[in-house]
């Protein structure tokens, strides 16, 4: 009925998420409010696991890319569902440590990890450090020596496939701040160097070609290039790389016009390609790592706002201002991202009028949705912006000293707070007079 299948409508004609009445949650927790359907998040985790089991004998690992939404609860959920974790900073790693996440299933990414971050990772025995560049490799070599530890690494490779939303290009990918390039020999050189370093165990290669991708083809092209690279390395050094990490980026439905590929299809096609190349090039089947972030959490979440002022500028635009904005969802102002919204009361009411939903921050660009057809709205009405479970809370800020909203997770129809609302005291807690 709605673009997200975690949504419904109850007998009182109120929007529900995971079976819970959204207006009741708004009353209890106030707005703005992030609500996530925990059961849906778990279902999404299982979809990836199941696909890997079915199409690749389970010879791999699904990592939840925690930058999409990171907190203690989501780390526990990912762990309970048997997923590993992709972290990109000391802060995300610290969260995982505090959530008692199994360290061997953590992959540490990032194009500029600091020495302190690397030390935090190594002393906590993080499973893989995904090395981005030679400076980092050198630092890791020193840390391995200092600490007398073996460090297992993977390498961030630019495969020469760059996928954007709705299209992709095959070259030009050298111009990226992430990783080492295949074409220039940079990737080969860094791996050859790694094999000479004591305490460094080369395990895998990694690529991540973009985000919100709706086609299978760029993933297949990337997988092909990476597999041939693994075979080339074997021919040239005699060493076989055993892990192929293809990153994340699987697209989701934000609006009616988005048509995501069923997640199982990605791995089905990828595994065929990988298997074929292992035969052609006489190498072993690598373990396949996938790193979905957005597709695990974004479609399982909504943000509920209360309408404040309704400003009708004749013949120009009607602004519906709400009690949040770029402070809780900066994706419109960052990328002009498109979202869909529903009225919480009577969500199936026929939309009548094109309006613009604006935030309350002091920026003209602080919009949530430009030009959306909505039913009539008045001050005090609740609206839900859909598919905000990823890259919303994790990108939220205190701009205008607005406290971050809480995150409530619904499971079995029951709400449970996962992150509390920030208070004004929280806002000034690091200030020094
Ligand atoms: C961002 C990112 C992901 C997750 O991407 P999604 O689009 O959220 O699936 C996975 N791996 C790496 C290395 C990333 O940078």
């Amino acid at each position: 009925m709605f673009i997200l299948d975690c949504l419904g409508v109850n007998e009182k004609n109120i929007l529900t998420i995971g079976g819970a009445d959204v207006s009741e949650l708004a009353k209890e927790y106030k707005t703005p409010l992030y609500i996530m359907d925990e059961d849906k998040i778990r279902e999404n985790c299982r979809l990836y696991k199941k696909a890997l089991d079915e199409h690749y004998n389970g010879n791999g690992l699904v990592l939840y890319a925690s930058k999409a939404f990171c907190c203690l609860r989501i780390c526990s959920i990912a762990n309970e569902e048997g997923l590993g974790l992709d972290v990109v900073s000391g802060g995300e790693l610290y969260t995982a440590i505090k959530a008692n996440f199994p360290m061997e299933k953590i992959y540490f990414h990032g194009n500029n990890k600091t020495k302190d971050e690397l030390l935090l990772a190594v002393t906590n025995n993080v499973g893989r450090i995904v090395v981005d560049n030679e400076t980092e490799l050198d630092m890791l070599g020193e840390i391995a020596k200092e600490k007398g530890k073996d460090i297992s690494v993977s390498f961030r490779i630019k495969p020469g496939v760059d996928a954007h939303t709705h299209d992709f290009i095959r070259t030009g990918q050298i111009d990226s701040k992430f990783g080492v390039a295949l074409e220039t020999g940079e990737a080969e050189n860094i791996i050859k160097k790694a094999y000479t370093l004591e305490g460094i165990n080369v395990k895998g290669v990694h690529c991540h070609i973009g985000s919100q991708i709706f086609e299978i083809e760029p993933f297949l092209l990337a997988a092909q290039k990476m597999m041939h690279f693994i075979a080339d390395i074997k021919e040239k050094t005699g060493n076989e790389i055993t892990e192929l990490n293809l990153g994340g980026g699987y697209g989701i439905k934000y609006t009616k016009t988005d048509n995501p590929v069923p997640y199982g299809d990605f791995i089905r096609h990828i595994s065929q390609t990988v298997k074929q190349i292992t035969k052609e090039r006489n190498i072993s089947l690598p373990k396949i790592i996938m790193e979905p972030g957005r597709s695990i959490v974004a479609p399982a979440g909504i943000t509920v706002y209360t309408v404040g002022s309704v400003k009708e500028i004749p013949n120009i635009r009607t602004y519906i201002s709400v009690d949040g904005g770029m402070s809780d969802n900066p994706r419109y102002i960052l990328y002009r991202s498109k979202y869909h919204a529903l009225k919480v009361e009577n969500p199936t009411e026929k939309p009548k009028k094109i309006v613009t939903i604006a935030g309350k921050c002091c920026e003209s660009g602080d919009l949530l949705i430009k030009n959306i057809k909505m039913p009539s709205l008045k001050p005090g009405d609740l609206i839900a912006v859909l598919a905000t479970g990823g890259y919303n809370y994790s990108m939220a800020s205190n701009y205008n000293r607005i406290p971050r909203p809480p995150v409530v997770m619904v499971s079995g129809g029951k709400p449970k707070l996962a992150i509390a609302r920030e208070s004004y005291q929280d806002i000034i807690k690091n200030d020094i007079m």
Side-chain angles (χ1 to χ4, degrees):
M1 177 168 27
F2 302 115
I3 60 167
L4 304 180
D5 51 14
C6 60
L7 301 179
V9 55
N10 65 15
E11 64 293 344
K12 293 182 211 145
N13 208 10
I14 304 289
L15 184 71
T16 62
I17 175 166
D21 182 310
V22 171
S23 69
E24 277 173 20
L25 294 178
K27 203 188 283 172
E28 184 174 350
Y29 297 98
K30 311 281 187 289
T31 62
L33 171 65
Y34 299 104
I35 313 174
M36 299 179 87
D37 179 351
E38 180 181 329
D39 301 331
K40 190 77 206 167
I41 294 171
R42 291 181 186 274
E43 192 185 314
N44 293 339
C45 293
R46 287 171 201 168
L47 277 177
Y48 280 103
K49 268 206 84 172
K50 184 163 165 268
L52 202 55
D53 287 346
E54 263 173 29
H55 303 297
Y56 203 66
N57 270 330
N59 180 18
L61 184 63
V62 181
L63 309 179
Y64 166 60
S66 69
K67 73 171 189 269
F69 172 62
C70 187
C71 66
L72 295 175
R73 180 82 53 78
I74 196 76
C75 290
S76 303
I77 291 172
N79 183 29
E80 283 161 17
E81 295 302 330
L83 270 57
L85 207 65
D86 151 355
V87 300
V88 296
S89 72
E92 287 179 0
L93 175 56
Y94 181 80
T95 308
I97 293 168
K98 289 294 169 186
N100 295 317
F101 203 91
M103 288 297 128
E104 70 281 3
K105 282 161 85 177
I106 297 183
Y107 283 58
F108 188 16
H109 289 279
N111 67 304
N112 192 22
K113 305 174 193 76
T114 64
K115 179 139 192 199
D116 284 346
E117 286 176 320
L118 290 173
L119 281 169
L120 182 69
V122 171
T123 52
N124 283 284
N125 302 312
V126 157
R128 297 281 180 279
I129 312 273
V130 184
V131 175
D132 180 271
N133 57 71
E134 204 171 326
T135 307
E136 183 183 331
L137 179 64
D138 292 341
M139 240 190 311
L140 277 176
E142 281 163 29
I143 291 173
K145 234 187 270 165
E146 274 167 33
K147 301 277 165 194
K149 282 204 181 209
D150 279 349
I151 302 174
S152 292
V153 299
S154 187
F155 290 88
R156 172 79 184 245
I157 310 277
K158 302 181 218 189
V161 179
D162 187 13
H164 300 284
T165 309
H166 299 297
D167 78 317
F168 67 95
I169 50 174
R170 287 153 211 250
T171 53
Q173 181 53 5
I174 292 177
D175 186 6
S176 160
K177 71 172 184 171
F178 296 106
V180 285
L182 277 186
E183 294 100 308
T184 57
E186 200 185 0
E188 185 180 316
N189 290 338
I190 196 171
I191 290 178
K192 282 181 174 163
K193 180 173 182 181
Y195 280 124
T196 69
L197 296 179
E198 217 172 295
I200 299 295
N201 290 335
V202 178
K203 298 279 188 187
V205 283
H206 166 269
C207 66
H208 172 75
I209 56 174
S211 204
Q212 187 62 354
I213 302 169
F214 292 108
E215 299 117 333
I216 293 177
E217 208 187 342
F219 283 99
L220 297 184
L221 269 174
Q224 277 166 12
K225 291 208 172 193
M226 299 289 280
M227 286 299 291
H228 284 296
F229 179 63
I230 290 175
D232 292 346
I233 291 286
K234 188 183 173 190
E235 277 172 18
K236 289 176 184 166
T237 72
N239 296 307
E240 197 157 321
I241 287 165
T242 55
E243 261 183 31
L244 172 65
N245 185 333
L246 293 170
Y250 312 102
I252 70 139
K253 201 170 181 74
Y254 280 109
T255 66
K256 286 181 184 121
T257 55
D258 291 333
N259 286 305
V261 173
Y263 305 137
D265 287 11
F266 284 107
I267 187 64
R268 184 158 58 87
H269 286 90
I270 288 167
S271 68
Q272 280 165 3
T273 298
V274 167
K275 283 173 187 165
Q276 192 190 331
I277 298 174
T278 54
K279 284 195 197 114
E280 280 169 27
R281 300 288 309 264
N282 192 29
I283 50 175
S284 322
L285 271 183
K287 200 171 155 181
I288 291 184
I289 317 285
M290 303 175 84
E291 297 176 331
R294 184 190 313 275
S295 51
I296 301 270
V297 286
I302 62 174
T303 310
V304 186
Y305 302 96
T306 303
V307 171
S309 79
V310 175
K311 197 169 286 178
E312 206 166 329
I313 310 173
N315 305 319
I316 297 183
R317 190 182 298 286
T318 296
Y319 284 101
I320 307 285
S321 290
V322 298
D323 52 354
M326 62 182 277
S327 44
D328 58 79
N329 182 357
R331 293 190 69 254
Y332 176 82
I333 203 160
L334 276 175
Y335 318 111
R336 298 289 176 266
S337 300
K338 292 197 164 45
Y339 282 94
H340 191 63
L342 293 169
K343 221 174 136 173
V344 170
E345 198 173 316
N346 196 5
T348 53
E349 188 183 331
K350 219 175 147 50
K352 299 200 233 324
K353 188 177 164 185
I354 292 179
V355 300
T356 286
I357 299 174
K360 61 177 279 147
C361 296
C362 291
E363 298 285 332
S364 302
D366 170 30
L367 306 179
L368 291 170
I369 306 175
K370 193 172 182 179
N371 299 335
I372 176 174
K373 210 171 188 186
M374 292 290 286
S376 66
L377 288 163
K378 57 180 190 316
D381 283 347
L382 295 173
I383 61 167
V385 175
L386 311 188
T388 58
Y391 301 104
N392 269 231
Y393 191 88
S394 63
M395 290 183 137
S397 75
N398 290 128
Y399 182 51
N400 291 164
R401 296 233 134 177
I402 294 172
R404 287 181 185 78
V407 180
V408 167
M409 287 199 181
V410 176
S411 178
K414 298 268 175 303
K416 196 172 151 201
L417 205 56
I419 304 178
R421 185 182 295 282
E422 282 180 340
S423 64
Y424 289 142
Q425 290 95 297
D426 291 331
I427 297 280
I428 60 160
K429 73 173 186 288
N430 296 318
D431 292 9
I432 297 161
M433 191 107 99

